[in-house]
Amino acid sequence: AKGFQFKAHDGVDFCHAVLAVAYAQLATLDKQWKERVERLELPRPLGTVYYRNQLAEFVEKLEALVG
């Protein structure tokens, strides 16, 4: 288990990530922030979060929403 220590701008990054995921149906984050946000227990269901290795799946879902 790797420990996590907050860095200088992690508070701002945390706010951006949580707000985006709380209101979006789809979101993209880097792998570390994806994992951090998914561990939160927010009061409503989260949007689906994707990271770099899942971009093809993200585009597929996005096209389905738009089309």
Side-chain angles (χ1 to χ4, degrees):
K2 295 181 182 177
F4 175 75
Q5 292 184 341
F6 276 96
K7 298 177 197 108
H9 299 285
D10 281 348
V12 173
D13 291 343
F14 177 78
C15 288
H16 288 148
V18 171
L19 286 172
V21 173
Y23 289 96
Q25 289 181 323
L26 305 172
T28 57
L29 296 171
D30 66 21
K31 187 174 182 180
Q32 291 79 19
W33 280 108
K34 172 186 171 18
E35 292 170 353
R36 291 173 190 150
V37 167
E38 287 180 340
R39 285 189 296 231
L40 296 175
E41 295 182 15
L42 296 178
R44 64 181 292 277
L46 296 175
T48 306
V49 181
Y50 300 88
Y51 75 103
R52 181 186 319 176
N53 292 350
Q54 300 171 311
L55 286 181
E57 184 181 348
F58 168 77
V59 171
E60 184 180 309
K61 297 285 185 182
L62 182 61
E63 288 174 341
L65 285 173
V66 176

